[in-house]
Amino acid sequence: TTSSELPPRTNSSGAAITRTNPVRLDTNGAVQRVDPSIEAHVLACLGVAKDSVADTALVGIVTGGRLENVTVPGSFGDSLYLSKTGTLTNVKPSVGVGGFVAGDFALCIGIVVKNQSNPLLTDLLVNIRLVGQL
């Protein structure tokens, strides 16, 4: 299975972006991290960073399908969500858990799956969907 990707875009977040971080594009078409407390960010989340990059570097975005050989929280079959810090978590967001408060958004980013070529490796099956507002 292959992935759907956008061509590399500039990281303009002001900080490094790590592989698998959920990302969005800003009004200039540059890559930004996603803040789960801002509805516009959550609705604009279009994928995860393909690689870890420094600020101002180019980064590819996986919008769907497999991102192979990743290090993510959780076990095979777990759903992964946007965390309050903009990374991935295997704990479903709820008020009072992981820093989430009423009004924040729960966004499922994908599922942890076994790599097809090497079952010892972990892949992220990217399938972004809004779970709801807390």
Side-chain angles (χ1 to χ4, degrees):
T1 305
T2 59
S3 64
S4 300
E5 299 178 24
L6 288 179
R9 310 257 179 155
T10 302
N11 170 12
S12 66
S13 67
I17 289 179
T18 303
R19 187 172 195 230
T20 74
N21 279 166
V23 293
R24 65 182 178 86
L25 298 181
D26 64 17
T27 55
N28 297 315
V31 176
Q32 296 279 341
R33 293 178 71 154
V34 179
D35 182 337
S37 65
I38 301 173
E39 183 177 23
H41 282 203
V42 172
L43 296 177
C45 181
L46 50 83
V48 297
K50 185 175 178 181
D51 299 295
S52 296
V53 298
D55 188 35
T56 73
L58 291 176
V59 60
I61 302 168
V62 175
T63 58
R66 285 180 184 265
L67 179 56
E68 295 187 327
N69 192 15
V70 296
T71 301
V72 293
S75 305
F76 296 127
D78 283 358
S79 291
L80 296 182
Y81 302 89
L82 172 66
S83 75
K84 188 67 174 172
T85 59
T87 59
L88 296 176
T89 178
N90 62 329
V91 178
K92 185 177 179 181
S94 62
V95 174
V97 175
F100 281 90
V101 297
D104 285 345
F105 292 85
L107 188 66
C108 184
I109 301 300
I111 299 170
V112 182
V113 295
K114 288 184 180 184
N115 182 282
Q116 292 176 314
S117 304
N118 181 347
L120 300 178
L121 298 178
T122 302
D123 293 353
L124 173 61
L125 187 59
V126 178
N127 179 22
I128 298 172
R129 57 198 187 279
L130 180 62
V131 177
Q133 189 172 16
L134 304 178

